[in-house]
Amino acid sequence: MKSKSTFKICIFFLITCLFQILNAQEQRKNHSAFDLEIVKYSDKPDTDKEHYHLLEITNNSNKINEFKLFVKPAKCKDDYNNVVKNQKGFLDNDNVVSEKKIDSKISSSLTFEIYNKTLSENLSKILLQPKKSLKFYLKITRENNSEIGQWKCSKLIAKLLNKKNSKRKSVIIKSFMADSNTKGH
């Protein structure tokens, strides 16, 4: 009789340990190495040529990580109308994403620059300590020859530069190409 209860206790502990291991692996899989988020959209009127959007990148890992930042024009989709949902960066699985190849039909109206929070330094790479965050600005400038009355979407991509992990996260920012002669939003 004693051996049956000992056997049951051993089985119980074995199942409990197995459950703990599986749960820890699932949490590790869901835990992101970094986060990207839009902190504040530009509050300038659509008619302004320049807009500064404040973003933040957070290194969630326990080691120093380097990130490459770049912007690509994107085709606007209905999904991007929800600015609150699009504030949090999402995993970017677009395998076609290249830092060099830009569709001129999409990009001819806007130029992009990434700056530190004091706007004193242009950024393309960021080195972040473990569990630290950095705020930075994305400057979007409307060119003089832009087509007015249209929406243009931009995808800011943060790529983790790690030999084991090359994950990318991105956020989408919509810009309205307003006529600069029109007052207001």
Side-chain angles (χ1 to χ4, degrees):
M1 199 62 135
K2 214 175 198 184
S3 64
K4 277 188 177 183
S5 59
T6 306
F7 179 72
K8 287 180 184 179
I9 291 172
C10 288
I11 292 294
F12 173 76
F13 281 121
L14 182 64
I15 291 172
T16 303
C17 290
L18 185 62
F19 177 75
Q20 291 289 341
I21 290 169
L22 291 174
N23 190 31
Q25 285 178 340
E26 188 64 30
Q27 284 179 349
R28 215 175 296 127
K29 199 177 358 174
N30 292 334
H31 178 68
S32 177
F34 70 100
D35 289 320
L36 177 66
E37 142 178 37
I38 301 170
V39 176
K40 185 175 189 271
Y41 288 99
S42 171
D43 54 2
K44 289 185 173 184
D46 290 340
T47 54
D48 282 13
K49 283 183 69 169
E50 293 181 349
H51 288 270
Y52 291 86
H53 303 281
L54 182 63
L55 292 97
E56 182 175 42
I57 188 166
T58 303
N59 181 1
N60 296 326
S61 75
N62 293 321
K63 61 182 180 175
I64 297 172
N65 277 320
E66 186 174 22
F67 302 92
K68 181 170 179 72
L69 301 172
F70 57 101
V71 182
K72 298 239 349 161
K75 292 183 180 178
C76 290
K77 298 179 183 175
D78 290 338
D79 300 347
Y80 306 148
N81 290 333
N82 185 341
V83 293
V84 174
K85 178 184 168 200
N86 288 317
Q87 268 184 297
K88 298 283 184 190
F90 52 89
L91 280 177
D92 194 300
N93 296 322
D94 184 1
N95 293 329
V96 181
V97 171
S98 165
E99 299 149 41
K100 295 176 184 159
K101 186 178 177 185
I102 295 176
D103 184 349
S104 61
K105 290 179 184 174
I106 301 172
S107 66
S108 63
S109 303
L110 302 172
T111 57
F112 314 102
E113 296 173 88
I114 302 169
Y115 288 101
N116 63 359
K117 193 168 180 200
T118 61
L119 299 171
S120 61
E121 183 183 345
N122 203 316
L123 300 175
S124 63
K125 288 186 181 177
I126 294 174
L127 192 65
L128 269 180
Q129 298 294 321
K131 309 296 183 198
K132 297 289 181 185
S133 298
L134 179 78
K135 290 183 179 172
F136 61 94
Y137 282 101
L138 170 62
K139 176 184 174 186
I140 300 177
T141 306
R142 185 184 70 222
E143 298 296 320
N144 289 331
N145 64 346
S146 59
E147 313 85 16
I148 59 174
Q150 296 181 20
W151 286 97
K152 297 286 183 176
C153 290
S154 311
K155 180 190 279 192
L156 180 120
I157 301 166
K159 180 179 179 182
L160 177 61
L161 299 177
N162 183 330
K163 292 177 183 165
K164 295 178 186 175
N165 184 351
S166 62
K167 288 187 179 178
R168 294 184 307 256
K169 283 197 172 181
S170 61
V171 291
I172 301 290
I173 297 177
K174 286 180 76 171
S175 303
F176 185 68
M177 311 306 285
D179 185 347
S180 57
N181 296 324
T182 307
K183 301 278 186 206
H185 278 21

